[in-house]
Amino acid sequence: MRDDAGQGEFEFGLKPLWLRAQAGDEAAYRDCLLRIATRLRGYLRRRMQGLPDDVEDLVQETLLALHLQRGTYDPTLPVSAWVLAIARHKLVDLWRRRGRRDDLHDALDDVDETQLVAASEETGTQRDLDKLLQELPEAQRVAIVLTKVEGLSVAEAAQRTGASESAIKVQVHRGLKRLAQRVRQ
Amino acid sequence: MKTEALIDLLARGAGAAPKHAVERRLWPVALLGLGASALFGVLVLGLVPMSVMMEANWWFKFAYAVSLVAVGGWLTARLARPVQRLGWPQLVLMTVVAAMGLLGAWHWFTAMPELRLAELLGHSWKTCPRNVVLLSVPPMAAAFWALRGLAPTRPRLAGAAVGLFAGALGAAAYALSCDELSMSFVAVWYTTGIAIASALGALLGPWLLRW
């Protein structure tokens, strides 16, 4: 990948943090995801020049996929290779979906020129997290809100809802999976 | 939604990454698939007599199928991850198939010329590949299900690996009820059945393995 200069430096900074994150260090994990998001933004922006408004959507979709699949990371491999393989997969998936839709809707040439200017920093997306959470089944939504928005531990969330700890974990995972599916549409 | 808000959500209470995610998802499927195929094969087609199982050639046949199950499972596990290293499993796959090919060729050339064709076709060459493919259906469904929860980024190749794994499981199960003992028969017809299952997997992969 010749157009991905700085890959070595990125990997060098990321790998030790990532290994700590995999072992359960949440601060390290958050830091990793922030670094990865920046990297993904650059990677995707270069490849999505016709769809600048979709870049951040795909960054978020890729982050969700990374999180759900973090168990498939193999520590003998570079983290960046793993991250970019998933990003590439998501990009191909987007092209395929878009390719079909663009046949039905307006061609890229019809897009207003001013919309093609990409913002230089993160602008967020049109998606509303609260609204996405509202669409989840009750048990999944509650599990996510308690542990991931309010920041309760799994044990506390289990006590609050009367569900078992493993049930809470399962609901969180299922909820995030469903969120990833919703975000992909 | 700000991306940072999503990152906060993902990182909070994230805990450690699941360990052995690929193995934990594929092993039960392998065992279940083997059980289902073997049971199905033995119930529908019956078990070969003990005397056939005493033959070394029967064991060669069974070992061929089991080796392909192992290498198919290995390839599937490698392709279940976003970055694949396929060198070793591919080499082993080629070695196993080549070894069976050599064994089949040796059997062909050492047989009496007038018997060669009969040895190659056996009494069941028309049904063998079909039965192998049919017995590969339950493990193929299970393996695709398992892979859908993992992260294959090359769906066609991953599908082919699933097909190889399931086809070989089908062949191992079929070996329990197939009394053909000629190595040239196994080299051609078993391999054909497994190859058909693998091609079927490659066709289904891009369709089933989207995420």
Side-chain angles (χ1 to χ4, degrees), chain A residues 29 33-34 36-42 44-45 48 52-69 83 86-87 90-91 94 97 121-130 132 176-185, chain B residues 1-10 211:
Chain A
Y29 189 42
L33 291 179
L34 285 169
I36 288 171
T38 307
R39 183 73 189 83
L40 286 175
R41 212 167 281 133
L44 293 173
R45 202 171 276 164
M48 295 170 67
D53 293 340
D54 291 317
V55 170
E56 205 60 32
D57 287 272
L58 204 58
V59 169
Q60 294 183 0
E61 199 189 318
T62 308
L63 287 170
L64 260 165
L66 286 176
H67 176 74
L68 288 167
Q69 292 301 339
V83 166
I86 292 180
K90 285 290 169 192
L91 185 61
L94 177 81
R97 281 180 285 145
E121 64 259 352
E122 197 226 305
T123 47
T125 59
Q126 295 298 306
R127 289 174 194 137
D128 186 335
L129 185 56
D130 289 329
L132 280 171
L176 290 177
K177 233 164 131 176
R178 188 177 278 242
L179 215 62
Q181 277 165 8
R182 292 285 306 140
V183 155
R184 188 169 163 257
Q185 281 159 11
Chain B
M1 156 170 58
K2 285 278 189 189
T3 299
E4 215 174 315
L6 176 70
I7 289 174
D8 285 336
L9 180 87
L10 294 180
W211 55 284

Side-chain angles (χ1 to χ4, degrees), chain A residues 22-24 26 29-30 33-34 37 56 60 63 65 67 69-74 76-77 81-82 85-86 89-90 93 96 100 122 124-125 127 129 147-149 151 184, chain B residues 1-22 25 80-85 148-155 206 209-211:
Chain A
Q22 289 289 91
E26 281 160 28
Y29 189 42
R30 186 172 179 281
L33 291 179
L34 285 169
E56 205 60 32
Q60 294 183 0
L63 287 170
H67 176 74
Q69 292 301 339
R70 61 200 284 241
T72 67
Y73 172 70
D74 172 350
T76 62
L77 292 173
W82 180 77
I86 292 180
H89 176 75
K90 285 290 169 192
D93 183 55
R96 198 179 36 213
R100 281 192 196 149
E122 197 226 305
T125 59
R127 289 174 194 137
L129 185 56
T147 60
K148 296 201 148 272
V149 179
R184 188 169 163 257
Chain B
M1 156 170 58
K2 285 278 189 189
T3 299
E4 215 174 315
L6 176 70
I7 289 174
D8 285 336
L9 180 87
L10 294 180
R12 194 170 294 140
K19 287 211 175 72
H20 311 295
V22 173
R25 220 175 147 88
R81 298 173 190 271
V83 183
Q84 307 91 13
R85 290 166 306 160
R148 277 171 68 90
L150 295 165
T153 52
R154 292 165 80 181
L209 301 175
R210 287 193 188 165
W211 55 284

